[in-house]
């Protein structure tokens, strides 16, 4: 499949380009980015320019920030191309619902990726929890914005999601592994005085009858934490390091290799081959719900 890659920034370079390079099912035909270029691949300034110049492109993968991605997605779907979206798939819930409707009408594949769901031990965690009674859930997602997102001002601007940019990864895993839906009960958002989006969030949730809570922090220095713990009637499950390490009662910890993006592209190819889409809004819906019910607290101004 001839594919165009849009938004040549950190994640495109760190993950998409290496994953495409080793997947025989894809040929990177062109890129579109205002500044970013990839050696040996024809680059255009916008997705519209790319598709006009290269009509043989069959699919497009968007790696730009969520705010503004909708317009790019419209260009792709109107051109009748298959579309893969980085997480979060859009800046709002209604944008992604509109894209799903358009993709159906155009008969093309839409794939809203959640890369953390492809972490090595997520499927095993889901399988283990499937027949357990859930008693409590604790989500701890704490990372240093200055280390992982240096200079990315968009992340704290309107539509950038703030600490929910990493936090939505935790929610994408939680909605994959828990047998019952997660529901937001209340939330507190810490928003720097000079920014639009939170640098920390505390969210109370429930799943079935069980309480759940999530602590997201973007200012964590030292030890970085990407953990989900689930208490059950058969003991506690601990899914650590972003889903790559699984601790279950009575067995040695399990840790698999990181193949998140190769798995995403393989799944995308399968969806296209079967004429299907994969659009799951639940993580985005939970973020939207947290923003709806949240108490907002103004905290210290933030500079990178
Ligand atoms: P990034 O490094 O800032 O790159 C995004 C690229 O998109 C930029 O280099 C820019 O390239 C283009 N762009 C188009 N419109 C833009 C705008 N309004 N503001 C800023 N850049 C714009 O961001 P990223 O870390 O790759 O993240 C992109 C997406 O991937 C986000 O949705 C993020 O959640 C997701 N993601 C990131 C990571 C990570 O570790 N960083 C991991 C997984 C997923 P041009 O200037 O050349 O147009």
């Amino acid at each position: 499949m001839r594919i165009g890659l849009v938004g040549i920034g950190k994640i495109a370079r760190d993950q998409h380009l290496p994953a495409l390079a080793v997947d025989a099912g894809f040929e990177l035909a062109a890129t579109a980015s205002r500044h970013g270029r990839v050696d040996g691949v024809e680059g255009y300034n916008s997705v519209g320019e790319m598709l006009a110049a290269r009509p043989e492109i069959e699919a497009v993968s968007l790696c730009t920030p969520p705010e503004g991605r909708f317009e790019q997605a419209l260009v792709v779907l109107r051109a009748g191309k298959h579309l893969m979206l980085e997480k979060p798939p859009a800046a709002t819930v209604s944008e992604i619902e509109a894209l799903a409707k358009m993709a159906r009408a155009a008969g093309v594949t839409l794939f809203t990726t959640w890369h953390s769901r492809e972490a090595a031990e997520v499927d095993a965690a889901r399988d283990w929890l499937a027949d357990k009674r859930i008693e409590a859930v604790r989500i701890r997602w704490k990372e240093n914005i200055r280390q992982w997102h240096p200079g990315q001002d968009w992340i704290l601007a309107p539509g950038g999601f703030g600490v929910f940019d990493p936090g939505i990864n935790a929610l994408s895993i939680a909605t994959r592994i828990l047998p019952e839906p997660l529901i937001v009960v209340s939330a507190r958002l810490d928003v720097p005085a000079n920014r639009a989006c939170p640098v920390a969030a505390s969210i109370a949730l429930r799943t079935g009858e069980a309480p759940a809570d999530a602590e997201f922090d973007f200012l964590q220095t030292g030890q970085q934490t990407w953990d989900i713990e689930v208490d059950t009637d058969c003991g506690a499950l601990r899914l650590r390091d972003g889903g790559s390490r699984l601790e279950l009662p009575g067995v040695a910890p399990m840790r698999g290799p990181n193949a998140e993006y190769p798995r995403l592209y393989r799944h995308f190819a399968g969806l296209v081959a079967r004429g299907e889409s994969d659009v799951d809004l639940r993580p985005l819906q939970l973020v939207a719900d947290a923003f709806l019910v949240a108490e907002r607290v103004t905290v210290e101004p933030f500079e990178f």
Side-chain angles (χ1 to χ4, degrees), residues 10-11 33-36 63 69 87 115 152 154 165 261:
K10 185 170 189 305
I11 199 60
S33 212
R34 297 162 308 180
H35 309 95
C63 312
R69 211 189 280 145
K87 51 63 57 170
H115 68 88
Q152 289 183 351
W154 64 261
D165 178 82
Y261 281 79

Side-chain angles (χ1 to χ4, degrees), residues 261-299:
Y261 281 79
R263 284 178 55 148
L264 287 179
Y265 276 100
R266 218 172 306 134
H267 185 53
F268 184 45
L271 289 170
V272 171
R274 296 190 300 277
E276 295 171 3
S277 283
D278 182 347
V279 179
D280 184 0
L281 287 180
R282 286 174 297 163
L284 184 64
Q285 186 76 65
L286 288 171
V287 173
D289 288 352
F291 272 89
L292 275 175
V293 300
E295 170 198 3
R296 281 172 184 71
V297 178
T298 302
V299 297

Side-chain angles (χ1 to χ4, degrees), residues 1-7 16 20 26 32 47-48 50-51 57-66 68-91 95-114 264-273 275-280:
M1 188 166 15
R2 285 178 293 267
I3 193 165
L5 195 62
V6 179
H16 290 258
L20 285 168
F26 290 94
V47 63
M50 178 180 79
L51 292 179
I57 288 175
E58 299 158 273
V60 172
S61 179
L62 294 186
C63 312
T64 47
R69 211 189 280 145
F70 181 64
E71 293 299 331
Q72 298 167 331
L74 288 180
V75 171
V76 175
L77 293 178
R78 283 186 187 131
K81 313 296 182 185
H82 306 292
L83 177 60
M84 173 163 151
L85 299 173
E86 250 301 349
K87 51 63 57 170
E95 282 180 352
I96 198 66
E97 284 175 339
L99 294 180
K101 189 173 173 213
M102 274 188 74
R104 272 195 305 277
V108 296
T109 292
L110 176 63
F111 178 25
T112 61
T113 66
W114 299 106
L264 287 179
Y265 276 100
R266 218 172 306 134
H267 185 53
F268 184 45
L271 289 170
V272 171
E276 295 171 3
S277 283
D278 182 347
V279 179
D280 184 0

Side-chain angles (χ1 to χ4, degrees), residues 88 161-169 171 189 198 201 203 216 218 287 290-291:
F161 286 67
V163 76
F164 287 95
D165 178 82
I168 203 168
N169 297 335
L171 297 173
L189 308 181
I203 311 158
F216 298 154
F218 233 162
V287 173
F291 272 89

Side-chain angles (χ1 to χ4, degrees), residues 137-142 213-216 225-228:
V137 180
R138 291 174 296 281
I139 301 171
R140 301 289 178 267
W141 226 253
K142 300 181 177 204
D213 67 79
E215 295 289 338
F216 298 154
T225 303
W226 299 283
D227 292 350
I228 298 176

Side-chain angles (χ1 to χ4, degrees), residues 235-256:
L237 169 148
R238 294 190 177 83
L239 189 56
R240 299 205 185 284
D241 301 342
S244 62
R245 177 186 167 96
L246 180 60
E247 299 170 11
L248 295 174
V251 291
M254 290 165 266
R255 178 186 279 282

